[in-house]
Coordinates of all heavy atoms in Angstrom, one line a residue:
M48 N 37.7 109.7 -26.6 CA 38.3 108.5 -25.9 C 38.2 107.3 -26.9 O 37.1 107.0 -27.4 CB 37.5 108.3 -24.7 CG 38.0 107.1 -23.9 SD 37.0 107.0 -22.4 CE 38.0 105.8 -21.5
E49 N 39.3 106.6 -27.1 CA 39.3 105.5 -28.0 C 39.0 104.2 -27.3 O 39.4 104.0 -26.1 CB 40.8 105.4 -28.5 CG 40.9 104.4 -29.6 CD 42.4 104.4 -30.2 OE1 42.9 105.4 -30.3 OE2 42.8 103.2 -30.4
T50 N 38.1 103.4 -27.8 CA 37.7 102.1 -27.2 C 38.5 101.1 -28.0 O 38.6 101.1 -29.2 CB 36.2 101.9 -27.3 OG1 35.8 102.0 -28.7 CG2 35.5 103.0 -26.5
S51 N 38.8 100.1 -27.3 CA 39.5 98.9 -27.8 C 38.5 97.9 -28.2 O 37.5 97.7 -27.4 CB 40.6 98.3 -26.9 OG 40.0 97.9 -25.8
I52 N 38.6 97.2 -29.3 CA 37.8 96.1 -29.7 C 38.5 94.8 -29.4 O 39.6 94.6 -29.8 CB 37.5 96.2 -31.2 CG1 36.9 97.6 -31.5 CG2 36.6 95.1 -31.6 CD1 35.4 97.7 -31.6
A53 N 37.8 93.9 -28.7 CA 38.4 92.5 -28.4 C 38.6 91.9 -29.7 O 37.9 91.8 -30.6 CB 37.4 91.8 -27.5
P54 N 39.7 91.2 -29.8 CA 40.0 90.4 -31.0 C 39.1 89.2 -31.2 O 38.7 88.6 -30.1 CB 41.5 89.9 -30.8 CG 41.7 90.0 -29.3 CD 40.8 91.1 -28.8
G55 N 38.7 88.9 -32.4 CA 37.7 87.8 -32.6 C 38.4 86.5 -32.5 O 39.6 86.4 -32.3
I56 N 37.6 85.5 -32.4 CA 38.1 84.2 -32.3 C 39.0 83.7 -33.3 O 40.0 83.0 -33.1 CB 36.8 83.2 -32.1 CG1 36.1 83.4 -30.8 CG2 37.3 81.7 -32.2 CD1 34.9 82.6 -30.5
K57 N 38.8 84.3 -34.5 CA 39.6 83.9 -35.7 C 41.1 84.3 -35.5 O 42.0 83.8 -36.1 CB 39.1 84.5 -37.0 CG 37.8 83.9 -37.4 CD 37.2 84.5 -38.7 CE 36.0 83.8 -39.1 NZ 35.4 84.4 -40.4
S58 N 41.3 85.2 -34.5 CA 42.7 85.7 -34.2 C 43.4 84.8 -33.2 O 44.5 84.9 -33.0 CB 42.7 87.1 -33.9 OG 42.1 87.2 -32.6
W59 N 42.6 83.9 -32.7 CA 43.2 83.0 -31.7 C 44.0 81.9 -32.3 O 43.8 81.6 -33.5 CB 42.1 82.3 -30.9 CG 41.2 83.2 -30.1 CD1 41.2 84.6 -30.0 CD2 40.1 82.8 -29.2 NE1 40.3 85.1 -29.1 CE2 39.6 84.1 -28.6 CE3 39.5 81.7 -28.9 CZ2 38.5 84.0 -27.8 CZ3 38.4 81.6 -28.0 CH2 37.9 82.8 -27.5
A60 N 44.8 81.2 -31.5 CA 45.5 80.1 -32.0 C 44.6 79.0 -32.4 O 43.4 78.8 -31.8 CB 46.4 79.5 -30.9
E61 N 44.7 78.4 -33.5 CA 43.8 77.4 -34.1 C 43.3 76.4 -33.1 O 42.2 76.0 -33.1 CB 44.3 76.8 -35.3 CG 43.3 76.6 -36.4 CD 43.8 76.1 -37.8 OE1 44.4 77.0 -38.5 OE2 43.7 75.0 -38.1
D62 N 44.2 75.9 -32.3 CA 43.9 74.8 -31.4 C 43.1 75.3 -30.1 O 42.6 74.5 -29.3 CB 45.1 74.0 -30.9 CG 46.1 74.8 -30.1 OD1 46.1 76.1 -30.2 OD2 46.9 74.2 -29.4
E63 N 42.9 76.6 -30.0 CA 42.1 77.2 -29.0 C 40.7 77.6 -29.4 O 39.8 78.0 -28.6 CB 42.8 78.4 -28.3 CG 44.0 77.9 -27.6 CD 43.7 76.9 -26.4 OE1 42.8 77.1 -25.7 OE2 44.4 75.9 -26.3
R64 N 40.4 77.6 -30.7 CA 39.1 78.0 -31.3 C 38.2 76.9 -31.0 O 38.5 75.7 -31.2 CB 39.2 78.3 -32.7 CG 40.1 79.4 -33.1 CD 40.2 79.5 -34.6 NE 41.4 80.3 -35.1 CZ 41.8 80.4 -36.3 NH1 41.2 79.7 -37.3 NH2 42.9 81.2 -36.5
P65 N 37.0 77.2 -30.5 CA 36.0 76.2 -30.2 C 35.7 75.1 -31.2 O 35.8 73.9 -31.0 CB 34.8 76.9 -29.8 CG 35.3 78.2 -29.2 CD 36.4 78.6 -30.1
R66 N 35.5 75.5 -32.5 CA 35.2 74.5 -33.5 C 36.4 73.6 -33.7 O 36.3 72.3 -33.8 CB 34.9 75.2 -34.8 CG 33.5 75.9 -34.7 CD 33.2 76.5 -36.1 NE 32.0 77.5 -35.9 CZ 31.9 78.5 -36.6 NH1 32.8 78.9 -37.5 NH2 30.9 79.4 -36.4
E67 N 37.6 74.2 -33.9 CA 38.7 73.4 -34.2 C 39.1 72.5 -33.0 O 39.5 71.4 -33.2 CB 39.9 74.3 -34.6 CG 39.7 75.0 -35.9 CD 38.7 76.2 -36.0 OE1 38.1 76.5 -35.0 OE2 38.6 76.8 -37.0
K68 N 38.9 73.1 -31.8 CA 39.2 72.3 -30.5 C 38.3 71.0 -30.5 O 38.7 70.0 -30.1 CB 39.0 73.2 -29.4 CG 39.4 72.6 -28.0 CD 39.4 73.7 -27.0 CE 39.7 73.2 -25.6 NZ 39.5 74.2 -24.6
L69 N 37.0 71.3 -30.8 CA 36.1 70.1 -30.9 C 36.6 69.0 -31.8 O 36.6 67.8 -31.5 CB 34.7 70.6 -31.2 CG 33.6 69.5 -31.3 CD1 33.2 69.1 -29.9 CD2 32.5 69.9 -32.2
L70 N 36.9 69.4 -33.0 CA 37.4 68.5 -34.0 C 38.7 67.7 -33.7 O 38.9 66.6 -33.9 CB 37.5 69.1 -35.3 CG 36.2 69.6 -36.0 CD1 36.5 70.4 -37.2 CD2 35.3 68.4 -36.3
S71 N 39.6 68.5 -33.1 CA 41.0 67.9 -32.7 C 41.0 67.2 -31.4 O 41.7 66.3 -31.3 CB 42.0 69.0 -32.9 OG 41.9 70.0 -31.8
K72 N 40.3 67.7 -30.5 CA 40.5 67.2 -29.0 C 39.2 66.4 -28.6 O 39.3 65.7 -27.6 CB 40.8 68.3 -28.1 CG 42.1 69.0 -28.5 CD 42.4 70.1 -27.5 CE 43.8 70.7 -27.8 NZ 44.1 71.8 -26.9
G73 N 38.0 66.6 -29.2 CA 36.9 66.0 -28.8 C 36.0 66.9 -27.9 O 36.5 67.8 -27.3
K74 N 34.7 66.6 -27.9 CA 33.7 67.4 -27.2 C 33.9 67.5 -25.7 O 33.6 68.4 -25.0 CB 32.3 66.9 -27.5 CG 32.0 65.5 -27.1 CD 30.7 64.9 -27.5 CE 30.5 63.5 -27.1 NZ 29.3 62.9 -27.7
Q75 N 34.5 66.4 -25.1 CA 34.8 66.4 -23.7 C 35.8 67.4 -23.2 O 35.8 67.8 -22.1 CB 35.3 65.0 -23.2 CG 34.4 63.8 -23.5 CD 34.5 63.3 -25.0 OE1 35.4 63.8 -25.8 NE2 33.7 62.4 -25.3
Q76 N 36.6 67.9 -24.2 CA 37.6 68.9 -23.8 C 37.1 70.3 -23.8 O 37.8 71.3 -23.5 CB 38.8 68.7 -24.7 CG 39.5 67.4 -24.7 CD 39.9 67.1 -23.2 OE1 40.6 67.9 -22.6 NE2 39.5 65.9 -22.7
L77 N 35.8 70.5 -24.2 CA 35.3 71.9 -24.3 C 34.4 72.2 -23.1 O 33.7 71.3 -22.6 CB 34.4 72.0 -25.6 CG 35.2 72.4 -26.8 CD1 36.0 71.2 -27.4 CD2 34.3 72.9 -27.9
S78 N 34.4 73.4 -22.7 CA 33.6 73.9 -21.6 C 32.2 74.1 -22.2 O 31.9 74.1 -23.3 CB 34.1 75.2 -21.1 OG 33.9 76.2 -22.1
N79 N 31.2 74.2 -21.3 CA 29.8 74.5 -21.7 C 29.7 75.8 -22.6 O 29.0 75.9 -23.6 CB 28.9 74.5 -20.5 CG 28.6 73.1 -20.0 OD1 28.8 72.1 -20.6 ND2 28.2 73.2 -18.7
A80 N 30.5 76.8 -22.2 CA 30.6 78.0 -22.8 C 31.0 77.8 -24.3 O 30.5 78.5 -25.2 CB 31.4 79.1 -22.0
E81 N 32.1 77.1 -24.4 CA 32.7 76.8 -25.7 C 31.7 76.1 -26.6 O 31.5 76.4 -27.8 CB 34.0 76.0 -25.6 CG 35.1 76.9 -25.1 CD 36.3 76.0 -24.8 OE1 36.2 74.9 -24.2 OE2 37.5 76.5 -25.1
L82 N 30.9 75.1 -26.0 CA 29.9 74.4 -26.8 C 28.8 75.3 -27.2 O 28.4 75.3 -28.4 CB 29.4 73.2 -26.0 CG 30.5 72.1 -25.8 CD1 29.9 71.1 -24.8 CD2 30.7 71.4 -27.1
L83 N 28.4 76.2 -26.4 CA 27.4 77.2 -26.7 C 27.9 78.1 -27.7 O 27.1 78.5 -28.6 CB 26.9 77.9 -25.5 CG 25.9 77.2 -24.5 CD1 25.7 78.0 -23.3 CD2 24.6 76.8 -25.2
A84 N 29.1 78.6 -27.6 CA 29.7 79.5 -28.6 C 29.6 78.9 -30.1 O 29.3 79.6 -31.0 CB 31.2 79.9 -28.2
I85 N 29.8 77.6 -30.2 CA 29.7 77.0 -31.5 C 28.3 77.1 -32.0 O 28.0 77.4 -33.1 CB 30.1 75.5 -31.4 CG1 31.7 75.4 -31.1 CG2 29.8 74.7 -32.6 CD1 32.1 74.0 -30.8
L86 N 27.3 76.9 -31.1 CA 25.9 77.0 -31.5 C 25.5 78.5 -31.9 O 24.8 78.8 -32.8 CB 24.9 76.5 -30.4 CG 24.9 75.0 -30.1 CD1 24.1 74.7 -28.9 CD2 24.5 74.2 -31.3
I87 N 26.0 79.4 -31.1 CA 25.8 80.9 -31.3 C 26.4 81.3 -32.6 O 25.8 82.1 -33.3 CB 26.3 81.7 -30.1 CG1 25.4 81.4 -28.9 CG2 26.3 83.2 -30.4 CD1 25.9 81.9 -27.6
G88 N 27.6 80.8 -32.9 CA 28.2 81.0 -34.2 C 29.1 82.3 -34.3 O 30.3 82.3 -34.8
S89 N 28.6 83.5 -34.0 CA 29.5 84.7 -34.0 C 28.9 85.6 -32.9 O 27.8 85.5 -32.4 CB 29.3 85.4 -35.4 OG 27.9 85.7 -35.5
G90 N 29.9 86.5 -32.6 CA 29.6 87.5 -31.6 C 28.9 88.7 -32.0 O 28.3 88.7 -33.1
K91 N 29.1 89.8 -31.3 CA 28.6 91.1 -31.7 C 29.8 92.1 -31.6 O 30.8 91.6 -31.1 CB 27.4 91.5 -30.9 CG 27.6 91.6 -29.5 CD 26.4 92.1 -28.7 CE 26.7 93.4 -28.2 NZ 25.8 94.5 -28.3
K92 N 29.7 93.2 -32.1 CA 30.8 94.1 -32.0 C 31.5 94.3 -30.7 O 30.9 94.5 -29.6 CB 30.3 95.6 -32.4 CG 31.4 96.5 -32.6 CD 30.8 97.9 -33.2 CE 32.0 98.8 -33.5 NZ 31.6 100.0 -34.0
G93 N 32.8 93.9 -30.7 CA 33.6 93.9 -29.5 C 33.4 92.7 -28.6 O 34.1 92.7 -27.6
R94 N 32.6 91.8 -28.9 CA 32.4 90.6 -28.1 C 32.4 89.3 -29.0 O 31.7 89.3 -30.0 CB 31.0 90.6 -27.4 CG 30.8 92.0 -26.8 CD 30.6 92.1 -25.3 NE 29.9 90.9 -24.6 CZ 30.3 90.4 -23.6 NH1 31.5 90.7 -23.0 NH2 29.7 89.4 -23.1
T95 N 33.1 88.3 -28.5 CA 33.2 87.1 -29.4 C 31.9 86.2 -29.0 O 31.2 86.5 -28.0 CB 34.4 86.3 -28.9 OG1 34.3 85.8 -27.6 CG2 35.7 87.0 -29.1
A96 N 31.7 85.2 -29.8 CA 30.7 84.2 -29.5 C 30.9 83.6 -28.1 O 29.9 83.3 -27.5 CB 30.6 83.1 -30.6
L97 N 32.1 83.4 -27.8 CA 32.4 82.8 -26.4 C 32.0 83.8 -25.3 O 31.4 83.4 -24.3 CB 33.9 82.4 -26.3 CG 34.3 81.7 -25.1 CD1 33.5 80.4 -24.9 CD2 35.8 81.4 -25.1
D98 N 32.2 85.1 -25.5 CA 31.7 86.1 -24.5 C 30.2 86.1 -24.4 O 29.7 86.0 -23.3 CB 32.1 87.5 -24.9 CG 33.7 87.8 -24.9 OD1 34.3 87.1 -24.1 OD2 34.0 88.6 -25.8
V99 N 29.5 86.0 -25.5 CA 28.1 85.9 -25.5 C 27.6 84.6 -24.9 O 26.6 84.6 -24.0 CB 27.5 86.0 -27.0 CG1 26.0 85.8 -27.0 CG2 27.8 87.4 -27.6
A100 N 28.2 83.5 -25.1 CA 27.9 82.3 -24.5 C 28.1 82.3 -23.0 O 27.2 81.8 -22.3 CB 28.8 81.1 -25.1
R101 N 29.1 82.9 -22.5 CA 29.3 83.1 -21.1 C 28.2 84.0 -20.4 O 27.7 83.6 -19.3 CB 30.7 83.7 -20.8 CG 31.8 82.8 -21.1 CD 33.1 83.4 -20.8 NE 34.3 82.5 -21.1 CZ 35.3 82.9 -21.7 NH1 35.6 84.1 -22.1 NH2 36.3 82.0 -21.9
D102 N 27.7 84.9 -21.2 CA 26.6 85.7 -20.7 C 25.3 84.9 -20.6 O 24.5 85.0 -19.6 CB 26.4 87.0 -21.5 CG 27.5 88.0 -21.5 OD1 28.3 87.9 -20.5 OD2 27.6 88.9 -22.4
V103 N 25.1 84.1 -21.6 CA 23.9 83.2 -21.6 C 24.0 82.2 -20.4 O 23.0 82.1 -19.7 CB 23.8 82.4 -22.9 CG1 22.8 81.3 -22.8 CG2 23.6 83.3 -24.1
L104 N 25.1 81.7 -20.2 CA 25.2 80.8 -19.0 C 25.1 81.5 -17.7 O 24.5 81.0 -16.8 CB 26.6 80.0 -19.0 CG 26.7 78.9 -20.1 CD1 28.2 78.5 -20.1 CD2 25.9 77.8 -19.7
Q105 N 25.5 82.7 -17.7 CA 25.4 83.5 -16.4 C 23.9 83.8 -16.1 O 23.5 83.6 -15.0 CB 26.2 84.8 -16.5 CG 26.1 85.6 -15.2 CD 27.0 86.8 -15.2 OE1 27.7 87.1 -16.3 NE2 27.1 87.5 -14.2
L106 N 23.2 84.1 -17.2 CA 21.8 84.4 -17.1 C 21.1 83.1 -16.5 O 20.1 83.2 -15.7 CB 21.2 84.7 -18.4 CG 19.7 84.9 -18.5 CD1 19.3 86.2 -17.7 CD2 19.2 85.1 -20.0
A107 N 21.5 81.9 -16.9 CA 20.9 80.7 -16.4 C 21.5 80.1 -15.1 O 21.4 79.0 -14.7 CB 21.0 79.6 -17.5
G108 N 22.3 81.0 -14.5 CA 23.0 80.5 -13.2 C 24.0 79.4 -13.5 O 24.1 78.6 -12.5
H109 N 24.5 79.3 -14.7 CA 25.5 78.3 -15.1 C 24.9 76.9 -14.9 O 25.6 75.8 -14.7 CB 26.7 78.4 -14.3 CG 27.5 79.6 -14.5 ND1 28.3 79.9 -15.6 CD2 27.4 80.9 -13.9 CE1 28.8 81.1 -15.6 NE2 28.3 81.7 -14.5
N110 N 23.5 76.8 -15.1 CA 22.8 75.6 -15.0 C 22.1 75.2 -16.4 O 21.3 76.0 -16.8 CB 21.7 75.7 -13.9 CG 20.9 74.5 -13.7 OD1 20.6 73.7 -14.6 ND2 20.6 74.2 -12.4
L111 N 22.6 74.2 -16.9 CA 22.2 73.8 -18.3 C 20.7 73.5 -18.3 O 19.9 73.7 -19.3 CB 22.9 72.7 -19.0 CG 24.4 73.1 -19.4 CD1 25.1 71.9 -19.9 CD2 24.4 74.3 -20.3
H112 N 20.2 72.8 -17.2 CA 18.7 72.5 -17.1 C 17.9 73.7 -17.0 O 16.8 73.8 -17.7 CB 18.5 71.6 -15.8 CG 19.2 70.2 -16.0 ND1 18.7 69.3 -16.8 CD2 20.2 69.8 -15.4 CE1 19.5 68.2 -16.8 NE2 20.4 68.5 -15.9
E113 N 18.4 74.7 -16.4 CA 17.7 76.0 -16.3 C 17.7 76.7 -17.7 O 16.7 77.3 -18.2 CB 18.3 76.9 -15.3 CG 17.7 78.2 -15.1 CD 16.2 78.1 -14.7 OE1 15.8 77.2 -13.9 OE2 15.4 79.0 -15.1
L114 N 18.9 76.7 -18.3 CA 19.0 77.2 -19.6 C 18.0 76.6 -20.6 O 17.3 77.2 -21.4 CB 20.4 77.0 -20.2 CG 20.7 77.6 -21.6 CD1 20.4 79.1 -21.7 CD2 22.2 77.4 -21.9
A115 N 17.8 75.2 -20.5 CA 16.9 74.6 -21.4 C 15.5 75.0 -21.2 O 14.6 74.8 -22.1 CB 17.1 73.0 -21.3
R116 N 15.1 75.4 -20.0 CA 13.8 75.8 -19.6 C 13.5 77.3 -20.1 O 12.3 77.7 -20.1 CB 13.5 75.7 -18.2 CG 13.4 74.3 -17.7 CD 12.8 74.2 -16.3 NE 13.8 74.6 -15.2 CZ 14.6 73.8 -14.6 NH1 14.5 72.4 -14.9 NH2 15.4 74.2 -13.7
M117 N 14.5 78.0 -20.5 CA 14.3 79.4 -20.8 C 13.7 79.5 -22.2 O 13.8 78.7 -23.1 CB 15.6 80.2 -20.9 CG 16.2 80.3 -19.5 SD 17.7 81.3 -19.6 CE 17.8 81.8 -17.9
D118 N 12.8 80.6 -22.3 CA 12.2 80.9 -23.6 C 12.9 81.9 -24.4 O 13.9 82.5 -23.9 CB 10.7 81.2 -23.4 CG 10.5 82.5 -22.7 OD1 11.4 83.4 -22.7 OD2 9.5 82.7 -22.0
G119 N 12.4 82.2 -25.6 CA 13.1 83.1 -26.4 C 13.3 84.6 -25.9 O 14.2 85.2 -26.1
H120 N 12.2 85.0 -25.2 CA 12.2 86.3 -24.6 C 13.3 86.4 -23.5 O 14.0 87.4 -23.5 CB 10.9 86.7 -24.0 CG 9.8 86.8 -25.0 ND1 9.8 87.6 -26.1 CD2 8.6 86.0 -25.2 CE1 8.8 87.5 -26.8 NE2 8.0 86.5 -26.3
Q121 N 13.5 85.4 -22.7 CA 14.5 85.4 -21.7 C 15.9 85.4 -22.3 O 16.8 86.1 -21.9 CB 14.4 84.2 -20.8 CG 13.1 84.3 -19.9 CD 12.9 82.9 -19.2 OE1 12.7 81.9 -19.8 NE2 12.8 83.0 -17.9
L122 N 16.1 84.5 -23.3 CA 17.4 84.4 -24.0 C 17.8 85.7 -24.6 O 18.9 86.1 -24.7 CB 17.5 83.3 -24.9 CG 17.4 81.8 -24.2 CD1 17.2 80.7 -25.3 CD2 18.7 81.6 -23.4
S123 N 16.8 86.4 -25.3 CA 17.1 87.6 -26.0 C 17.5 88.7 -25.1 O 17.8 89.8 -25.6 CB 15.8 88.0 -26.8 OG 15.5 87.0 -27.8
K124 N 17.4 88.6 -23.9 CA 17.9 89.6 -22.9 C 19.4 89.8 -23.0 O 20.0 90.8 -22.6 CB 17.5 89.3 -21.5 CG 16.0 89.5 -21.2 CD 15.7 89.1 -19.8 CE 14.2 89.2 -19.6 NZ 13.8 88.8 -18.2
V125 N 20.1 88.7 -23.4 CA 21.6 88.8 -23.6 C 21.9 89.5 -24.9 O 21.4 89.1 -25.9 CB 22.1 87.3 -23.7 CG1 23.6 87.4 -23.9 CG2 21.8 86.6 -22.3
P126 N 22.7 90.6 -24.8 CA 23.2 91.3 -26.0 C 23.9 90.3 -26.9 O 24.8 89.5 -26.5 CB 24.1 92.3 -25.4 CG 23.7 92.5 -24.0 CD 23.2 91.2 -23.5
G127 N 23.5 90.2 -28.2 CA 24.1 89.3 -29.1 C 23.2 88.1 -29.4 O 23.5 87.3 -30.3
I128 N 22.1 87.9 -28.6 CA 21.1 86.8 -28.8 C 19.8 87.5 -29.2 O 19.2 88.1 -28.5 CB 20.9 86.0 -27.6 CG1 22.2 85.4 -27.0 CG2 19.8 84.9 -27.8 CD1 22.8 84.3 -27.9
G129 N 19.5 87.4 -30.6 CA 18.3 87.8 -31.1 C 17.4 86.6 -31.2 O 17.6 85.6 -30.8
P130 N 16.2 86.9 -31.8 CA 15.2 85.8 -32.0 C 15.7 84.6 -32.7 O 15.5 83.5 -32.2 CB 14.1 86.5 -32.8 CG 14.2 88.0 -32.5 CD 15.7 88.2 -32.4
A131 N 16.5 84.7 -33.7 CA 17.0 83.6 -34.5 C 17.9 82.8 -33.7 O 17.9 81.5 -33.6 CB 17.6 84.0 -35.8
R132 N 18.9 83.4 -33.0 CA 19.8 82.6 -32.1 C 19.1 82.0 -30.9 O 19.4 81.0 -30.4 CB 20.9 83.6 -31.7 CG 21.9 83.8 -32.7 CD 23.1 84.6 -32.3 NE 24.0 84.8 -33.4 CZ 25.0 85.8 -33.4 NH1 25.1 86.5 -32.4 NH2 25.7 85.9 -34.4
A133 N 18.1 82.7 -30.3 CA 17.4 82.2 -29.2 C 16.7 80.9 -29.7 O 16.7 79.9 -28.9 CB 16.4 83.2 -28.7
V134 N 16.0 80.9 -30.9 CA 15.4 79.7 -31.3 C 16.3 78.6 -31.6 O 16.1 77.4 -31.2 CB 14.6 80.1 -32.6 CG1 14.1 78.8 -33.3 CG2 13.4 80.9 -32.2
A135 N 17.6 78.9 -32.1 CA 18.5 77.8 -32.4 C 19.0 77.3 -31.1 O 19.2 76.0 -31.0 CB 19.7 78.5 -33.1
L136 N 19.2 78.0 -30.0 CA 19.6 77.5 -28.7 C 18.5 76.7 -28.1 O 18.8 75.6 -27.5 CB 20.0 78.7 -27.8 CG 21.3 79.4 -28.1 CD1 21.5 80.6 -27.1 CD2 22.5 78.5 -28.0
M137 N 17.3 77.1 -28.2 CA 16.1 76.4 -27.7 C 16.0 75.0 -28.3 O 15.8 74.0 -27.7 CB 14.9 77.2 -27.8 CG 14.8 78.4 -27.0 SD 13.5 79.6 -27.3 CE 12.1 78.6 -27.4
A138 N 16.2 75.0 -29.6 CA 16.1 73.8 -30.4 C 17.2 72.8 -30.0 O 17.0 71.7 -29.8 CB 16.1 74.0 -31.9
A139 N 18.5 73.4 -29.9 CA 19.6 72.5 -29.5 C 19.4 71.9 -28.2 O 19.9 70.8 -27.9 CB 20.8 73.3 -29.7
L140 N 18.8 72.7 -27.3 CA 18.7 72.2 -25.9 C 17.5 71.4 -25.6 O 17.4 70.8 -24.5 CB 18.8 73.5 -24.9 CG 20.1 74.2 -24.9 CD1 20.0 75.5 -24.2 CD2 21.2 73.3 -24.1
E141 N 16.6 71.2 -26.6 CA 15.5 70.5 -26.4 C 15.7 68.9 -26.2 O 16.5 68.4 -26.9 CB 14.5 70.7 -27.6 CG 13.2 70.0 -27.5 CD 12.4 70.1 -26.2 OE1 12.3 71.3 -25.7 OE2 11.9 69.1 -25.7

């Protein structure tokens, strides 16, 4: 059975990529997931950084205050978030 791989963010239209969108349209135009995706940097096989960011937000009940209270072990439950990314997210949300 053949599995399809989701296209990466680099294949998206430039004005829809989170980094480029931030630069061209401003931070107010990005969703929390898009802002987290910028911090996360890259996804994992078959999943974009935006997909991983959405999973992180779902783990926190879409509540940024709850996300900021999470520790590295909790964040690392999300596939694509290892210890280094968990620490980067914790630092950014401090």
